[in-house]
Amino acid sequence: MEHAYIMINLALALGAGLTMSRFVKLIGLPAVTGYLIAGILIGPYCLGRLGIEGFGLISYENVTSYSIISETALGFIAFTIGNEFRLADLKKVGKQAVIVSIFEALSAVIVVDAVLISVHFIVGEEVFPLSAAITLGAIAAATAPAATLMVVRQYKAKGPVTSILLPVVALDDAIGLIAFAISFGVAKSLTGSVNAVTLLVEPILEIVLSLAGGALLGWLFTLSERFFYSRSKRLAVSVTFVFLTIALSMLEFEVCGVKIGFSSLLACMMLGTVFCNTCDFSFELMDRVDRWTAPLFVLFFVLSGAELQFNVFFDVRILIIGLLYIVFRCVGKQIGASTGSLVMKCEPQVTKYLGVTLFPQAGVALGMSLNALSVFPPFEGQIIRNIVLFGVLVYELVGPLLTKIALTKAGEITAEERASARVKNAK
């Protein structure tokens, strides 16, 4: 019966997501927003409250039991973004993307740190610890690639902003990890227990090993594809290597007291980057992978919506500090993206609209907050975790719409959408 409940819930999640995407389209919202709303409706705070097995996701634990779907979807999202790093395109935007990424990520850290540290001195250590303020500033650097990619795909956005956006989002994770490692080390030193070698070496090793492992698997991926000729088998090989990269990224082990871990996002991104630059038929394969992963992405966003925790609204302190975090993170992203674009002499629409497309935040930020929760004392850890949860709740619901508006104003989303196959056949 348990397996039956799982399949019913997955069918319910897909059906609810697809249905809600039709409703939000009527009011001009992106499909991803509909998927998130559908997740809220079938999640623990709505349908799940009935407590009927197989008829909604009845608890937070129930939602997280489907984490393998979310991890797999994030792997394919990172793989898809990696395919945007084609050398021919990087020659045009590569240097710009790196500089803009550094500016927007560090600007968010500096602005959020300045505001939250000021709040700490106003309200005191007992209400809002300094270690929490510094850590939240570091987490502000992270950006969610999933929602951004889905909006770009749905509306087939094309232009200067879109061209630089996806590389910036991909680089953002690496910069965010480094910023988090440094800030986290400073915050930990304030609590009196810090291992500087571990805090500095582990994140750097994670980045280097993830990129190296992804590159090796990307080369093996390209080599393997050449032994198969049918489209279906080549698709199967593609899925196999993404699965393998995700699985290997989950491994953790310790060497001389240093924990060795991997980032699934960075490894899968490098897998896609090496593959697209070494395989001469990668365009064809990516089109087929995109079609195969469509239902997977719907499930990912519906489950993400169900996972949002609304109990953060019951703490006034979290609401006020959370709102400051949300607003000033956006200010930092916008200032950094605009400044970086001006320095690199990007097109005017990039300078004006790129920052808005970088507002969404989810998976990487949640992972950082979990790390803080496991290391800091319960008081600091819970504050960090709840503020990040509040931010993700707002960003995930509002971010896709803001991304759509920004790309539309930049002239990269046209009002004319592709006609469906049914309409074409009727002509």
Side-chain angles (χ1 to χ4, degrees):
M1 287 293 289
E2 183 181 349
H3 289 168
Y5 292 147
I6 291 173
M7 296 308 296
I8 291 171
N9 278 335
L10 291 177
L12 179 64
L14 272 173
L18 293 171
T19 301
M20 190 54 63
S21 71
R22 302 305 297 172
F23 280 113
V24 299
K25 184 180 179 181
L26 298 176
I27 55 176
L29 294 176
V32 64
T33 302
Y35 302 149
L36 291 165
I37 294 173
I40 294 171
L41 293 177
I42 69 168
Y45 292 93
C46 292
L47 192 60
R49 291 186 71 87
L50 297 175
I52 303 173
E53 287 281 358
F55 191 63
L57 300 163
I58 61 177
S59 67
Y60 178 73
E61 290 71 23
N62 188 200
V63 178
T64 55
S65 68
Y66 295 91
S67 61
I68 187 66
I69 293 175
S70 299
E71 290 167 356
T72 303
L74 280 172
F76 275 100
I77 288 167
F79 173 66
T80 301
I81 291 176
N83 270 270
E84 298 298 325
F85 285 87
R86 296 179 184 273
L87 291 178
D89 298 329
L90 283 178
K91 289 177 182 178
K92 302 175 184 177
V93 300
K95 187 177 180 181
Q96 290 180 339
V98 171
I99 300 301
V100 171
S101 296
I102 294 172
F103 268 87
E104 57 88 10
L106 296 185
S107 178
V109 173
I110 293 169
V111 171
V112 173
D113 265 341
V115 172
L116 295 189
I117 290 173
S118 299
V119 171
H120 158 77
F121 285 115
I122 293 171
V123 301
E125 181 74 17
E126 297 77 14
V127 177
F128 186 50
L130 181 58
S131 57
I134 294 174
T135 303
L136 284 166
I139 294 174
T143 301
T148 302
L149 179 64
M150 288 295 285
V151 172
V152 170
R153 274 188 176 181
Q154 179 183 353
Y155 297 101
K156 297 177 177 58
K158 289 182 180 179
V161 179
T162 305
S163 296
I164 196 172
L165 170 59
L166 295 179
V168 166
V169 169
L171 291 168
D172 198 71
D173 285 331
I175 297 170
L177 283 170
I178 296 172
F180 181 72
I182 296 171
S183 296
F184 196 49
V186 173
K188 276 289 294 174
S189 67
L190 296 174
T191 67
S193 58
V194 62
N195 182 335
V197 174
T198 300
L199 288 171
L200 293 176
V201 171
E202 286 181 1
I204 294 173
L205 277 177
E206 179 177 330
I207 293 170
V208 172
L209 293 178
S210 297
L211 294 176
L216 175 61
L217 288 170
W219 177 75
L220 293 174
F221 179 16
T222 300
L223 187 65
S224 300
E225 288 283 10
R226 300 187 185 281
F227 290 97
F228 301 93
Y229 302 98
S230 71
R231 293 180 177 179
S232 59
K233 288 182 178 178
R234 281 179 168 174
L235 173 61
V237 173
S238 303
V239 174
T240 298
F241 270 88
V242 177
F243 279 178
L244 180 60
T245 306
I246 296 169
L248 294 178
S249 299
M250 294 177 179
L251 298 177
E252 287 187 358
F253 50 93
E254 196 169 299
V255 177
C256 299
V258 177
K259 187 176 72 175
I260 305 296
F262 302 89
S263 166
S264 175
L265 287 174
L266 292 178
C268 290
M269 182 189 73
M270 182 57 73
L271 177 78
T273 300
V274 172
F275 173 67
C276 77
N277 285 289
T278 55
C279 180
D280 52 8
F281 47 84
S282 61
F283 273 113
E284 175 195 343
L285 275 175
M286 281 309 303
D287 182 59
R288 298 186 68 81
V289 170
D290 288 347
R291 296 178 187 180
W292 185 86
T293 55
L296 180 65
F297 290 169
V298 174
L299 280 174
F300 168 71
F301 284 105
V302 173
L303 291 172
S304 296
E307 196 173 5
L308 297 176
Q309 298 183 44
F310 288 84
N311 56 0
V312 295
F313 288 119
F314 303 142
D315 189 330
V316 176
R317 174 187 54 185
I318 298 300
L319 283 177
I320 295 173
I321 299 175
L323 284 172
L324 290 173
Y325 171 81
I326 291 167
V327 171
F328 284 97
R329 176 180 172 272
C330 292
V331 170
K333 287 285 183 183
Q334 181 62 46
I335 292 174
S338 298
T339 305
S341 299
L342 284 171
V343 168
M344 297 308 299
K345 298 179 181 180
C346 298
E347 289 82 348
Q349 58 265 48
V350 174
T351 303
K352 190 173 183 181
Y353 297 112
L354 178 64
V356 179
T357 65
L358 299 172
F359 290 171
Q361 187 178 52
V364 176
L366 288 174
M368 291 176 177
S369 70
L370 279 174
N371 193 357
L373 184 63
S374 66
V375 174
F376 282 123
F379 178 60
E380 289 98 321
Q382 285 294 341
I383 289 176
I384 295 168
R385 176 67 172 169
N386 287 338
I387 289 174
V388 172
L389 281 171
F390 180 36
V392 168
L393 174 65
V394 175
Y395 287 130
E396 286 295 89
L397 291 175
V398 179
L401 175 61
L402 293 177
T403 299
K404 178 198 171 185
I405 292 172
L407 291 176
T408 301
K409 287 185 175 293
E412 302 186 14
I413 293 178
T414 60
E416 301 173 1
E417 295 188 33
R418 182 179 63 179
S420 68
R422 188 187 310 148
V423 173
K424 290 179 180 178
N425 292 335
K427 293 181 179 181

